[in-house]
Amino acid sequence: MTLWFATRALGLVTLTLFSTVMVLGLLTAGRRAPWRQPAFVITGLHRSLALLSVVFLGLHIATSVLDDFVTIRWVDAVVPFGAAYRPFWLGLGATALDLILALVITSLLRTRLGLRTWRAVHWLAYACWPIAVVHGAGIGTDTRLTLAFDAICCVAVAAAAAVRLSAVARAGTYRQPITGGTR
Amino acid sequence: MNKELRVDFIACDGAGVCAELLPELLSRDEWGYPVVTEAAVPGRLRGHARKAVALCPKLALHLDL
Amino acid sequence: MITMSTTRDRLLALTAGADAARHAGLAGPLPLRGAVRPGRLGPLAQVVAASGLRGRGGGWFPLIRKMEAVAAGAGSRPPVVVVNGMEGEPLSEKDTYLLNCAPHLVMDGATLAAEALGARRIVLAVTGDTYRPLVGGTRPGLRSLLQALARDRTAYGVDPVEITVLEGPDRYLSGQETALANWINGGPPVPTTARPFRKGVDGRATLVGNVETFAHLALIARRGPEWYRAVGTPDAPGTTLLTVSGAVGHPGVLEVPLGTPVRDVLTAAGVLTEPSAVLLGGYGGAWMSGRTATGLTLDPESIAAAGGALGPGIVHVLPQGAHGLVRTAEIARWMENQGARQCGPCQFGLRAVADDLDSVIRGDAVAGDRLRRRLALLPRRGGCAHPDGVARLVASALEVFA
């Protein structure tokens, strides 16, 4: 039974970490916010916590596979919806993992890939995090604790998203591209 | 031989992460954009310079040979 | 359009206009030798190298180096040749004049360059019908004129490669090489980090050259590098076109050997007394006192050594009684509005410089120091040389007029 509890606990920790990473990621956008000094702390923390989250995610997956209370194979962690145990909810987790792998690998290779490619993949984070939240909410047996965590994380991410959207709205189009001429 | 710092000002958005991480070589102008006070990167600062390049939100900082 | 000659003209002697037969009679046949494979350089390259021909768009960059870079960057894909007739500098008329009066010469040069590079596309970029305050009157549809000419040349088999004529936006930066390539590719006419000799039009290696550069090339190919070098200076051989304007008796386009004393040019343009100040190089150039200017020769090195720039051959005399600082403030404000607004130091810096200059004119002493500090932060902090030019101009104005 221990591994079962460990999996659940690690899942909640991972979710909390990823939510923090989301909040930090949202706060790195937009430049004219003097309260965000020093900027390198937020961006550096975002990276470090993201990597830490992956470690905890790895442990969460390991305990879920090693636990014989239910049958979950290693392959079910990356290939969604083929598991014996709760295939749909587990599959969401596998989808989230696939997206996270894409995010982390492209971020590690960011300087080599160039900004446009990296950013295109990084937008997947906005899909990845909700999928992870729903995975956690749907797969747990004791839902009250999970939902409490989910609620706190959602509030935090929503607040950060609101900050980002308002910064974007205020900045507006202060750098206008030039157009003109006939062809 | 020394690597040189270069800012791509078309990509740069003035976030200032570079100047925070490499104050010995970079400062900021009154609008927040980086000023390369010293382009040649001495060996002891090479690691810090690489970190600044990696953390620039717009990948606007470059280390050239 | 008034033109003058101080010596045996070279380009300006071949102003056959649209008349192809007359052009052929004056210039001689077009010495085509057959296109090379992309990535190589045809025999014309040796001629270009020996002649020492330098670009006439303002950069004075040796053409052979550009051609070598394009050949190196081309790989297996045929490069593109762009003839830059955008002439964004308001004080410049020479390119428009050449395109109107010696278009065949320019097209000959483009075709020769294309052949030497294995290029299969030539784009000629010109501006539209705009009123030019220097000499008055509107130009007839330059694009349609040139398009018709290009079509005829293709029809008669003069050019192995078709020449496309495009009309670009009338903005200062639309003649900047990367901005021009960007616009031809369908983007906005603003500079990019991509270098045209590697990745320009259609993502291909692109040779971007000034209208006048190609005109010189067309003659060098016919008459040889020794002929070209017979006038001018060792570092800046040949003749060049100047646009003389301002308080001069005969404003207009003038052809002189490089190295001609400024004094002689002013005399030819009908300037009878030493002017108080002269602007050399255009809106991105530098003011000089009349005394300094008349002691210089018209070549890029001599003027750069005096702290200025020859640019696209601009000689502009400040009218007697005109206020140099006020004129510079107008230019600075105009240059601010012409910026691409891509780079913070330029977008905000040029505005601040224009504001400070206005304050200095109103008598604000503190603004002068602040202005000098800000000017020092403009050079090399943009995506192109626009802020550098403004910094040079305003600094020179402070020295000459303040």
Side-chain angles (χ1 to χ4, degrees):
Chain A
M1 255 334 240
T2 339
L3 280 179
W4 177 252
F5 289 121
T7 302
R8 260 196 52 205
L10 286 166
L12 290 172
V13 169
T14 305
L15 179 68
T16 311
L17 283 172
F18 272 127
S19 304
T20 313
V21 171
M22 283 293 289
V23 166
L24 290 169
L26 284 161
L27 294 182
T28 60
R31 56 174 292 260
R32 294 185 181 280
W35 58 268
R36 278 192 296 105
Q37 296 248 357
F40 83 87
V41 169
I42 300 205
T43 208
L45 259 184
H46 172 81
R47 284 182 128 224
S48 311
L49 287 183
L51 293 171
L52 187 66
S53 314
V54 171
V55 170
F56 274 89
L57 177 59
L59 292 172
H60 166 74
I61 293 169
T63 54
S64 74
V65 169
L66 293 172
D67 183 15
D68 1 285
F69 191 64
V70 291
T71 314
I72 298 173
R73 305 158 297 165
W74 288 108
V75 67
D76 296 322
V78 282
V79 179
F81 309 124
Y85 174 73
R86 291 180 170 247
F88 175 68
W89 301 108
L90 192 64
L92 288 181
T95 310
L97 171 64
D98 294 340
L99 291 172
I100 283 163
L101 286 175
L103 290 169
V104 169
I105 292 172
T106 51
S107 293
L108 290 172
L109 297 173
R110 191 164 162 258
T111 48
R112 267 175 257 269
L113 289 174
L115 199 73
R116 254 193 305 238
T117 313
W118 170 84
R119 193 190 289 146
V121 176
H122 220 71
W123 272 86
L124 291 173
Y126 290 125
C128 174
W129 179 80
I131 292 175
V133 171
V134 173
H135 156 79
I139 204 166
T141 42
D142 174 359
T143 52
R144 267 178 313 145
L145 182 62
T146 315
L147 287 177
F149 263 87
D150 287 350
I152 297 170
C153 291
C154 285
V155 166
V157 172
V163 168
R164 168 155 194 192
L165 286 171
S166 79
V168 167
R170 261 184 292 116
T173 48
Y174 75 93
R175 292 245 198 87
Q176 297 270 20
I178 311 287
T179 55
T182 54
R183 313 214 68 223
Chain B
M1 77 236 72
N2 269 342
K3 298 241 182 181
E4 293 232 327
L5 277 177
R6 177 177 53 90
V7 178
D8 170 2
F9 282 103
I10 295 178
C12 174
D13 218 13
V17 177
C18 60
E20 287 170 1
L21 292 175
L22 211 46
E24 299 88 343
L25 306 174
L26 293 162
S27 65
R28 296 172 85 181
D29 67 18
E30 59 192 287
W31 301 288
Y33 294 91
V35 181
V36 181
T37 50
E38 177 58 59
V41 181
R44 64 190 168 89
L45 292 176
R46 189 79 64 86
H48 294 288
R50 269 199 285 262
K51 188 166 178 195
V53 167
L55 281 186
C56 171
K58 291 292 192 294
L59 289 180
L61 185 66
H62 299 270
L63 265 180
D64 297 331
L65 275 158
Chain C
M1 172 71 70
I2 301 165
T3 62
M4 300 154 273
S5 57
T6 52
T7 65
R8 321 166 292 284
D9 272 338
R10 294 171 157 211
L11 300 181
L12 296 189
L14 295 168
T15 48
D19 189 337
R22 181 144 178 263
H23 167 73
L26 283 173
L30 184 56
L32 291 176
R33 285 192 269 162
V36 298
R37 286 213 316 272
R40 293 164 174 273
L41 270 178
L44 181 73
Q46 275 157 331
V47 171
V48 172
S51 70
L53 175 60
R54 295 166 70 171
R56 296 293 198 265
W60 295 93
F61 201 67
L63 182 65
I64 185 60
R65 293 239 291 275
K66 268 194 182 176
M67 291 177 70
E68 285 167 350
V70 172
S76 55
R77 299 179 75 208
V80 176
V81 172
V82 171
V83 181
N84 189 348
M86 295 311 299
E87 198 154 48
E89 168 62 57
L91 291 175
S92 183
E93 287 283 351
K94 65 173 179 86
D95 296 333
T96 307
Y97 179 74
L98 261 185
L99 286 170
N100 273 291
C101 300
H104 287 289
L105 201 60
V106 176
M107 291 185 184
D108 284 353
T111 285
L112 286 162
E115 192 193 51
L117 286 168
R120 296 218 213 106
R121 190 177 169 202
I122 297 174
V123 178
L124 172 47
V126 301
T127 51
D129 310 334
T130 50
Y131 174 74
R132 292 292 191 171
L134 276 186
V135 287
T138 52
R139 291 196 302 283
L142 189 58
R143 182 192 183 190
S144 29
L145 160 77
L146 293 170
Q147 256 175 337
L149 227 65
R151 266 199 297 270
D152 287 344
R153 285 170 65 109
T154 307
Y156 279 103
V158 177
D159 300 318
V161 181
E162 219 175 275
I163 301 182
T164 317
V165 186
L166 298 177
E167 184 181 300
D170 192 16
R171 293 192 63 84
Y172 186 76
L173 287 182
S174 44
Q176 202 271 349
E177 285 189 10
T178 64
L180 183 54
N182 197 13
W183 178 79
I184 294 173
N185 282 334
V190 296
T192 62
T193 44
R195 297 291 116 206
F197 59 80
R198 256 187 245 123
K199 199 170 155 218
V201 174
D202 296 337
R204 297 161 181 267
T206 303
L207 175 71
V208 183
N210 177 262
V211 160
E212 188 192 338
T213 311
F214 286 109
H216 285 290
L217 182 60
L219 285 184
I220 293 170
R222 289 168 162 100
R223 311 244 163 96
E226 291 77 29
W227 166 85
Y228 180 72
R229 297 193 76 104
V231 298
T233 73
D235 287 327
T239 57
T240 199
L241 295 183
L242 304 172
T243 313
V244 186
S245 59
V248 301
H250 324 294
V253 177
L254 177 60
E255 182 175 9
V256 299
L258 282 160
T260 300
V262 173
R263 188 183 309 114
D264 293 354
V265 169
L266 292 176
T267 310
V271 176
L272 304 168
T273 55
E274 185 179 274
S276 60
V278 180
L279 175 58
L280 293 173
Y283 282 13
W287 290 102
M288 311 228 159
S289 69
R291 164 125 2 121
T292 311
T294 49
L296 296 174
T297 55
L298 280 159
D299 61 272
E301 277 67 48
S302 153
I303 298 178
L310 178 55
I314 306 294
V315 179
H316 177 83
V317 177
L318 184 72
Q320 210 68 289
H323 196 330
L325 270 186
V326 172
R327 181 78 181 99
T328 306
E330 286 164 4
I331 296 173
R333 187 65 68 189
W334 188 85
M335 292 286 261
E336 178 212 338
N337 288 321
Q338 292 293 308
R341 295 200 183 83
Q342 294 190 115
C343 307
C346 179
Q347 178 180 355
F348 301 112
L350 292 201
R351 184 189 310 159
V353 160
D355 289 344
D356 283 348
L357 205 41
D358 289 340
S359 303
V360 166
I361 290 170
R362 280 197 302 269
D364 183 343
V366 172
D369 294 326
R370 193 173 60 226
L371 174 56
R372 284 188 174 81
R373 269 201 314 277
R374 284 171 166 163
L375 286 176
L377 287 180
L378 286 178
R380 288 174 306 283
R381 290 184 72 232
C384 67
H386 191 57
D388 302 59
V390 176
R392 179 190 298 133
L393 178 78
V394 175
S396 70
L398 289 177
E399 212 186 287
V400 173
F401 303 119

